[in-house]
Amino acid sequence: VSVGAFARFLNHVQPPSDVLSEWCLLQEGDPRDEYLPLCQDTHGLWKPKPGVPESWPMIMVSWFGANAYSLWANRCDWQDYRQAHLGFLPTEAQWEYAARGAEIANFPWGDTPASPALLNVCWDVN
């Protein structure tokens, strides 16, 4: 899920602060907050922090937050996010297959070793 997509989700559902902290697992004053790629503007709308592209992957989201997003994205009631059987998150076997692929290889992208061109990371924007 991209940073932009997760921001649209938060802006649409407007979760209360206790739910939001359950989704992002950060309490007030947590020093890791600087790595959260989203911030709220003066109107309370969520948006990517300056320098963070909307296409970057969303990080620092709990299983509950991911499940809530999956429900919302599939037009279901996101408020059922604590119920695993109602969500659309992949099983462990599905995750492994997605990471491994259909063919045996040393890496998910093939047998070529990793290079900087394959990286998509959220650098510290401060």
Side-chain angles (χ1 to χ4, degrees):
V1 173
S2 70
V3 170
F6 204 77
R8 286 188 294 279
F9 162 63
L10 292 177
N11 289 332
H12 185 263
V13 303
Q14 303 271 321
S17 59
D18 61 323
V19 170
L20 185 62
S21 67
E22 190 173 56
W23 291 354
C24 295
L25 301 176
L26 296 176
Q27 302 301 319
E28 187 83 28
D30 190 314
R32 296 172 295 169
D33 185 52
E34 72 178 286
Y35 299 110
L36 189 67
L38 295 175
C39 63
Q40 285 183 293
D41 66 15
T42 56
H43 303 289
L45 294 176
W46 290 95
K47 63 181 186 172
K49 284 183 176 175
V52 176
E54 285 194 18
S55 61
W56 276 12
M58 186 61 195
I59 59 171
M60 301 182 72
V61 175
S62 71
W63 183 90
F64 289 132
N67 202 38
Y69 177 86
S70 78
L71 288 164
W72 174 79
N74 284 282
R75 299 182 180 181
C76 296
D77 185 358
W78 64 268
Q79 295 182 33
D80 292 327
Y81 68 90
R82 289 187 182 95
Q83 306 297 319
H85 68 282
L86 297 177
F88 295 89
L89 297 180
T91 65
E92 182 179 353
Q94 290 168 326
W95 271 114
E96 188 169 320
Y97 180 82
R100 180 178 29 85
E103 311 227 352
I104 302 294
N106 289 324
F107 308 102
W109 58 86
D111 289 323
T112 307
S115 69
L118 294 172
L119 292 177
N120 187 9
V121 296
C122 184
W123 301 107
D124 187 9
V125 293
N126 292 327

